[in-house]
Amino acid sequence: MASINKRYYSLVVKEKEKEADIYIYGDIVLWEWFDSDVSSYTLAKEIEGLPEDIEKINVFINSYGGEVAEGLAIYNNLRRHKAKVKTYCDGFACSIASVVFMAGDERIMSNVSLLMIHNAWLLTAGDPNQLRKDADDLETINAASMQAYLNHTNITEEELKKMLDAETWISAADALEMGFATSVVNAAMGKAANQSLKKRMVEMILEQQEARAQTPKSDLKASVNIDADKVASKLCDLLEEKYKLEPEPEPDPAPDPEPEPEPENKLPNLLAALFR
């Protein structure tokens, strides 16, 4: 394991796992006055120096935000990298830090963490013309941050504008529902509720079919019309029916009949069973 930056903002390379961990536990700024500060330039140079075989970048965030331009550059730098990016909200991801959070291919929140989104701010001075221009400029700046949210969430632009106007704190559960997060981790138990669970169930079925039938998964997908909601619902019904608790029967003096042998391989018929 090699450490590239030993400050509290840090990037750590785990060479054996082909991963890099980035900790943004401070402000996102142009000029780094404190050890916890991070600028887009520092992060970009460190990401550029990562080994070529890095496959995953984990970004852990606990930040009140900072400068919009710096946060947008960090977002784009992470999105552009060929490695899979997983962002984690460890405490607060506020303001432009919430935009950095949106850079993750997977966006994971603890159930004791929060996002906060709001409109961009600007300190200004000048005559009425200057103030009107600054207000128009802020609308344009807001549009860039809004697009980062809209790229990943399932809410409308009008709904997002209302949330930004209201300076909205977003719980982990609400973030998952609206698409800001892709999963929520129970900090106490380490269990996750993943938004893509139903999709993963279908993928697991196809992987089993592929392994046993030697049929490429792409061909299976093309030949089988799978409704993820129907699969999940039917599978839950089958499991509930199979494992429901019933009172134990009274002992029967008669000998039990010979059990019927189980089929050697039920997996080839699993999809058919789910949709019968």
Side-chain angles (χ1 to χ4, degrees), residues 90-213:
D90 284 348
F92 287 174
C94 301
S95 189
I96 200 62
S98 68
V99 172
V100 174
F101 177 74
M102 300 307 295
D105 300 299
E106 292 184 37
R107 300 177 300 282
I108 301 154
M109 293 184 68
S110 161
N111 64 350
V112 290
S113 66
L114 291 167
L115 303 180
M116 190 275 280
I117 64 174
H118 68 130
N119 291 315
W121 296 351
L122 176 68
L123 296 177
T124 186
D127 63 17
N129 292 326
Q130 181 62 49
L131 297 181
R132 291 188 186 97
K133 181 182 184 303
D134 289 341
D136 291 339
D137 290 345
L138 274 178
E139 292 287 347
T140 302
I141 294 169
N142 272 336
S145 296
M146 286 179 61
Q147 192 59 56
Y149 299 125
L150 293 171
N151 285 344
H152 308 282
T153 59
N154 53 39
I155 59 176
T156 66
E157 184 175 344
E158 182 179 353
E159 290 170 328
L160 179 59
K161 283 182 177 179
K162 289 180 180 178
M163 295 176 69
L164 292 167
D165 289 343
E167 192 172 287
T168 303
W169 288 87
I170 307 171
S171 70
D174 289 341
L176 181 64
E177 181 179 352
M178 291 184 284
F180 288 93
T182 59
S183 63
V184 175
V185 175
N186 183 327
M189 302 299 293
K191 295 180 179 179
N194 200 307
Q195 195 177 43
S196 60
L197 177 60
K198 289 181 288 188
K199 178 181 177 183
R200 181 58 188 146
M201 288 166 61
V202 174
E203 288 293 317
M204 289 172 65
I205 292 169
L206 291 173
E207 286 165 5
Q208 292 288 346
Q209 288 286 78
E210 180 184 23
R212 290 182 178 269

Side-chain angles (χ1 to χ4, degrees), residues 8-275:
Y8 198 53
Y9 156 72
S10 64
L11 185 151
V12 178
V13 178
K14 298 184 288 187
E15 295 176 358
K16 185 177 180 181
E17 295 86 352
K18 296 183 179 180
E19 295 184 10
D21 292 345
I22 297 173
Y23 292 86
I24 300 177
Y25 271 29
D27 293 335
I28 299 168
V29 297
L30 176 61
W31 300 103
E32 298 169 358
W33 295 103
F34 302 101
D35 285 346
S36 58
D37 290 346
V38 57
S39 70
S40 61
Y41 177 80
T42 295
L43 188 140
K45 294 299 289 183
E46 292 185 346
I47 289 180
E48 183 182 359
L50 290 175
E52 287 291 325
D53 61 349
I54 286 291
E55 297 176 354
K56 183 164 63 175
I57 299 175
N58 303 304
V59 185
F60 302 92
I61 302 170
N62 182 33
S63 172
Y64 286 102
E67 298 185 33
V68 175
E70 296 298 301
L72 292 177
I74 292 172
Y75 169 90
N76 286 312
N77 199 288
L78 291 170
R79 292 298 297 171
R80 187 165 54 244
H81 200 278
K82 65 180 181 180
K84 180 176 182 178
V85 176
K86 296 178 71 173
T87 52
Y88 296 81
C89 182
D90 284 348
F92 287 174
C94 301
S95 189
I96 200 62
S98 68
V99 172
V100 174
F101 177 74
M102 300 307 295
D105 300 299
E106 292 184 37
R107 300 177 300 282
I108 301 154
M109 293 184 68
S110 161
N111 64 350
V112 290
S113 66
L114 291 167
L115 303 180
M116 190 275 280
I117 64 174
H118 68 130
N119 291 315
W121 296 351
L122 176 68
L123 296 177
T124 186
D127 63 17
N129 292 326
Q130 181 62 49
L131 297 181
R132 291 188 186 97
K133 181 182 184 303
D134 289 341
D136 291 339
D137 290 345
L138 274 178
E139 292 287 347
T140 302
I141 294 169
N142 272 336
S145 296
M146 286 179 61
Q147 192 59 56
Y149 299 125
L150 293 171
N151 285 344
H152 308 282
T153 59
N154 53 39
I155 59 176
T156 66
E157 184 175 344
E158 182 179 353
E159 290 170 328
L160 179 59
K161 283 182 177 179
K162 289 180 180 178
M163 295 176 69
L164 292 167
D165 289 343
E167 192 172 287
T168 303
W169 288 87
I170 307 171
S171 70
D174 289 341
L176 181 64
E177 181 179 352
M178 291 184 284
F180 288 93
T182 59
S183 63
V184 175
V185 175
N186 183 327
M189 302 299 293
K191 295 180 179 179
N194 200 307
Q195 195 177 43
S196 60
L197 177 60
K198 289 181 288 188
K199 178 181 177 183
R200 181 58 188 146
M201 288 166 61
V202 174
E203 288 293 317
M204 289 172 65
I205 292 169
L206 291 173
E207 286 165 5
Q208 292 288 346
Q209 288 286 78
E210 180 184 23
R212 290 182 178 269
Q214 298 300 312
T215 303
K217 189 161 58 174
S218 58
D219 293 345
L220 286 169
K221 285 183 176 179
S223 61
V224 180
N225 182 19
I226 297 176
D227 183 321
D229 289 322
K230 191 173 182 180
V231 169
S233 176
K234 185 64 175 178
L235 184 56
C236 289
D237 290 343
L238 291 173
L239 291 173
E240 184 178 355
E241 180 180 349
K242 181 175 180 179
Y243 294 107
K244 65 183 177 182
L245 297 177
E246 296 179 351
E248 293 186 6
E250 293 294 329
D252 188 351
D256 293 334
E258 289 293 328
E260 294 183 5
E262 291 285 336
E264 290 185 5
N265 179 15
K266 289 185 175 181
L267 281 172
N269 298 320
L270 181 54
L271 291 178
L274 289 172
F275 293 103

